[in-house]
Amino acid sequence: MKKLIAFTLTVALLTGTAFAEAQTRTSTFDGPKASGTKTTVRDKDAGTFSSDKSVTRKSDGAVATTSRDRQRTDTGFTSSGTRTGFNGQTSSYDYERTKTENGWTATGSGTGPKGGEYSYSGSKARTDNGFTANRSASRYGIEIYNRTDTVSRSNGMVTRDTSVTRKPRKR
């Protein structure tokens, strides 16, 4: 019985040590039109995650890549990434989300594949009987998207109110 308990404790301690290390996963695919590799690294203790993907088109050898990184902070997290398409055009983003007393706030910016400059802001706050949330995106300083959600509970009923505005796209 003592040996069984000692063995169980040893396995538990060794397993805990293994989970504390960064976990790396790599997957590959090879299809009729493209092949690629994706590698992710997650370190829960450090609060980091990264993902890198590369795809090669077989018809002409063109390569598309995607890279994402996320870092936990004392007050939330930061995230960034880039993507390069088969045509060589690159887009990127940076994002930061911060915990607040009753929810969170977020800001971000990015560059589109054709050089467009984007910004993002968002927030969510708990109320006494629900929450309110808002997300807004702008291109070159002009708002192109805004969504506001209000959810409240009263007398066993849930009321949801959502308002979305979008700037019409040029076609």
Side-chain angles (χ1 to χ4, degrees):
M1 182 69 174
K2 289 180 183 178
K3 288 182 182 178
L4 179 61
I5 292 172
F7 176 74
T8 304
L9 290 174
T10 303
V11 169
L13 290 173
L14 290 175
T15 305
T17 303
F19 285 121
E21 297 172 1
Q23 302 291 316
T24 302
R25 293 187 179 171
T26 301
S27 60
T28 60
F29 75 92
D30 190 10
K33 296 184 179 185
S35 63
T37 302
K38 180 178 180 180
T39 302
T40 59
V41 180
R42 181 183 308 270
D43 188 334
K44 289 185 179 182
D45 287 344
T48 60
F49 172 83
S50 67
S51 173
D52 295 298
K53 181 169 55 172
S54 178
V55 177
T56 303
R57 191 167 49 197
K58 291 185 176 180
S59 64
D60 60 0
V63 177
T65 60
T66 304
S67 176
R68 298 183 309 147
D69 293 296
R70 183 172 164 151
Q71 172 69 53
R72 184 177 59 227
T73 65
D74 292 338
T75 59
F77 70 89
T78 60
S79 180
S80 63
T82 60
R83 180 186 184 286
T84 302
F86 290 119
N87 60 4
Q89 292 181 336
T90 299
S91 58
S92 64
Y93 72 92
D94 288 295
Y95 176 84
E96 181 174 9
R97 184 161 152 173
T98 305
K99 295 177 193 173
T100 62
E101 185 177 314
N102 63 347
W104 53 265
T105 61
T107 58
S109 62
T111 304
K114 296 183 180 180
E117 295 175 7
Y118 297 87
S119 62
Y120 169 86
S121 64
S123 64
K124 184 174 183 179
R126 288 183 297 278
T127 62
D128 290 338
N129 61 350
F131 69 87
T132 60
N134 180 268
R135 290 170 173 79
S136 176
S138 299
R139 180 174 48 230
Y140 298 117
I142 299 170
E143 186 174 79
I144 58 173
Y145 176 81
N146 189 313
R147 177 180 174 136
T148 302
D149 295 296
T150 305
V151 177
S152 60
R153 294 171 188 83
S154 178
N155 298 326
M157 301 292 289
V158 176
T159 304
R160 299 177 190 274
D161 182 31
T162 299
S163 171
V164 177
T165 57
R166 288 187 171 97
K167 182 179 179 194
R169 297 179 82 184
K170 294 179 183 178
R171 301 241 181 223

